[in-house]
Amino acid sequence: MDHSIATWAILLVAAFLGGGLNAIAGGGSFFTFPALVYAGVPAVAANASGTLALLPGYFASTWGYREDLRPPATLSMGALVAISLGGGAAGAALLLTTPDDVFRAIVPWLLLVATLLFAFGPWLLRRFKRDSGEDEANAMVQGFTLAVVSIYGGYFNGGLGIVLLAAFSLLGHRDINSMQGLKNLVSSVLTAIAVSVYAFGGAILWREALIMMLAATVGGYVMARVGRRLPSSFVRAVVIVTGVVMTVLFFRA
């Protein structure tokens, strides 16, 4: 890795912006992953190290939205945390055994689907409610959806916030601040367990990740507090634009 002052400045700015973007829209690894690759870190290590760097930003963002945290209608907070832990661990283990070419091929499609889900979530929800209104069925759907998203988050942190916001939007949440709080909480839980698996597999560059943590934590908390005061339409637009940009760039990579 290049250890020049300019490179470290790029890594710190990327971590600050990544933590901030995760707080309001998701996609923070869009900044940290390419910055680490630019610094000369191999792709797998860049993904794992960047995920660790953003972890405290998730916790700071969750605290920033603490007044708005409410569980989904048919899932308890305990169930939400348990599902997130299990899915994050499974996704991280899957990443460590997936060939690089397969990994690169499916990520753009996952981001595309997530962006479309978030953009059209309200319309899809209205259609869904016409055919299903039973709490038991909704609980099963919410649990399964959260498990799938948690596996994705453990597998590849890129765009995780957008995927979670898409899922919560589709499953009935209308308060954007509540969605943001839940998104940050789930991201914190599943990323923590995923990082543990990455560390066990020896995929993390600890010095780079720990230094970037500081900037990501500041960015996450600052933008979480700012994001609570932004109009929901603006935040939704930021999420959609971020998703479109990331999808295009990953397809072109």
Side-chain angles (χ1 to χ4, degrees):
M1 172 181 159
D2 178 9
H3 293 286
S4 67
I5 294 177
T7 298
W8 277 109
I10 290 172
L11 293 178
L12 290 174
V13 171
F16 179 88
L17 294 176
L21 185 60
N22 277 345
I24 62 171
S29 59
F30 171 69
F31 291 103
T32 57
F33 179 75
L36 284 162
V37 171
Y38 170 81
V41 179
V44 172
N47 182 44
S49 303
T51 299
L52 173 59
L54 293 173
L55 177 58
Y58 285 130
F59 287 118
S61 300
T62 302
W63 180 249
Y65 278 97
R66 60 191 179 275
E67 297 93 342
D68 305 295
L69 271 176
R70 288 185 295 276
T74 57
L75 287 178
S76 68
M77 197 64 78
L80 182 141
V81 170
I83 293 171
S84 302
L85 282 171
L94 182 63
L95 172 65
L96 296 179
T97 59
T98 301
D100 284 343
D101 55 345
V102 176
F103 177 76
R104 288 193 298 265
I106 66 174
V107 166
W109 294 102
L110 291 172
L111 292 177
L112 175 62
V113 170
T115 304
L116 292 175
L117 280 175
F118 186 79
F120 296 102
W123 177 81
L124 290 172
L125 178 69
R126 289 193 295 270
R127 295 294 299 272
F128 176 77
K129 281 189 173 180
R130 292 176 187 174
D131 302 321
S132 177
E134 299 179 7
D135 289 343
E136 184 178 357
N138 287 339
M140 293 177 60
V141 169
Q142 289 194 8
F144 177 77
T145 302
L146 180 60
V148 172
V149 173
S150 297
I151 292 171
Y152 168 83
Y155 181 72
F156 180 64
N157 200 255
L160 173 59
I162 291 174
V163 178
L164 282 168
L165 287 173
F168 289 134
S169 178
L170 184 61
L171 294 174
H173 277 273
R174 285 294 169 267
D175 182 354
I176 191 66
N177 287 337
S178 177
M179 291 165 63
Q180 294 283 19
L182 278 177
K183 177 258 294 181
N184 292 329
L185 174 62
V186 172
S187 297
S188 300
V189 171
L190 70 87
T191 300
I193 191 65
V195 163
S196 300
V197 176
Y198 296 155
F200 182 78
I204 293 176
L205 297 180
W206 290 98
R207 179 174 61 173
E208 289 77 5
L210 293 174
I211 292 175
M212 291 174 72
M213 270 187 180
L214 300 176
T217 302
V218 174
Y221 185 78
V222 169
M223 290 309 298
R225 301 310 289 176
V226 171
R228 295 185 68 251
R229 295 170 172 81
L230 295 174
S232 60
S233 59
F234 175 79
V235 176
R236 181 173 288 274
V238 169
V239 174
I240 294 171
V241 170
T242 301
V244 170
V245 170
M246 284 199 306
T247 299
V248 171
L249 290 175
F250 273 109
F251 269 117
R252 291 169 60 90

